[in-house]
Amino acid sequence: MAIRKIREDGDEILRKVCKPIEKMTPRLRTLIDDMYETMYAANGVGLAAPQVGILKRIVVIDVCDGDSYTLINPVIVEADGEQIGEEGCLSLPGLAATVKRPNHVICKAFDEEMNEITVEGEGLLARAICHELDHLEGILYKDKAEDGVYRIDLPNEE
Ligand code: NI
């Protein structure tokens, strides 16, 4: 496993639409392992493949609810409710914004064995699913910010 370089806002790759995965390969398994390692090293709760420069429809999520989710070719099939809260992104370090998201989503995807899975998320997990799936379309949370993006203190700056 290896920590990969996280692409930051301004990098064109973050604005591209990602391609679906047709079959699992050793190379993709390594990518997924590296995505987890990169996300945990950066104290993130989610990471999408384009953030490490790979234009594939893969995201990893761990909102510290006791589970982690590898979502391949994910699609939101149901979304309801509303939550308004602060959101950040590893590709926009030191920044945050208030973003409106559904409070509950149902997402269909494939796992690392390419088995179909359904993940249901509420609150933070719903927010993370929406945020990460946006990355696969080249969308960043700042595009949806209610009142623009603002600076926050990074923990390691304290
Ligand atoms: Ni992000």
Side-chain angles (χ1 to χ4, degrees):
M1 297 218 289
I3 293 174
R4 302 204 184 192
K5 182 176 145 44
I6 297 178
R7 304 300 184 98
E8 294 188 1
D9 188 20
D11 190 320
E12 265 186 25
I13 208 150
L14 293 173
R15 293 309 195 168
K16 309 240 192 240
V17 176
C18 294
K19 293 199 170 70
I21 303 300
E22 275 157 32
K23 68 182 202 16
M24 190 45 56
T25 63
R27 207 184 166 93
L28 288 176
R29 281 183 197 275
T30 301
L31 168 65
I32 292 165
D33 288 345
D34 289 355
M35 284 172 64
Y36 275 108
E37 195 173 352
T38 304
M39 173 180 74
Y40 289 131
N43 294 314
V45 298
L47 190 73
Q51 292 182 275
V52 292
I54 309 289
L55 289 172
K56 304 267 191 204
R57 303 188 82 82
I58 303 176
V59 312
V60 298
I61 292 174
D62 187 342
V63 294
C64 306
D65 65 350
D67 265 317
S68 61
Y69 305 96
T70 305
L71 305 177
I72 297 172
N73 301 341
V75 180
I76 291 172
V77 293
E78 241 182 89
D80 53 74
E82 187 179 293
Q83 57 174 318
I84 295 171
E86 185 173 89
E87 203 164 308
C89 178
L90 295 177
S91 293
L92 289 85
L95 299 173
T98 302
V99 184
K100 193 196 292 180
R101 300 284 190 185
N103 193 50
H104 172 252
V105 298
I106 296 175
C107 176
K108 285 202 185 289
F110 295 88
D111 66 11
E112 287 173 53
E113 313 305 324
M114 295 305 277
N115 295 315
E116 217 180 331
I117 53 167
T118 301
V119 176
E120 188 165 2
E122 251 190 63
L124 182 57
L125 180 56
R127 178 176 293 281
I129 290 170
C130 294
H131 176 112
E132 299 311 327
L133 266 62
D134 274 353
H135 274 298
L136 305 182
E137 307 301 331
I139 298 166
L140 298 176
Y141 78 88
K142 67 172 192 176
D143 307 343
K144 298 182 169 177
E146 300 271 302
D147 301 304
V149 169
Y150 51 86
R151 198 144 263 296
I152 50 165
D153 289 327
L154 291 173
N156 61 9
E157 286 175 346
E158 282 169 7

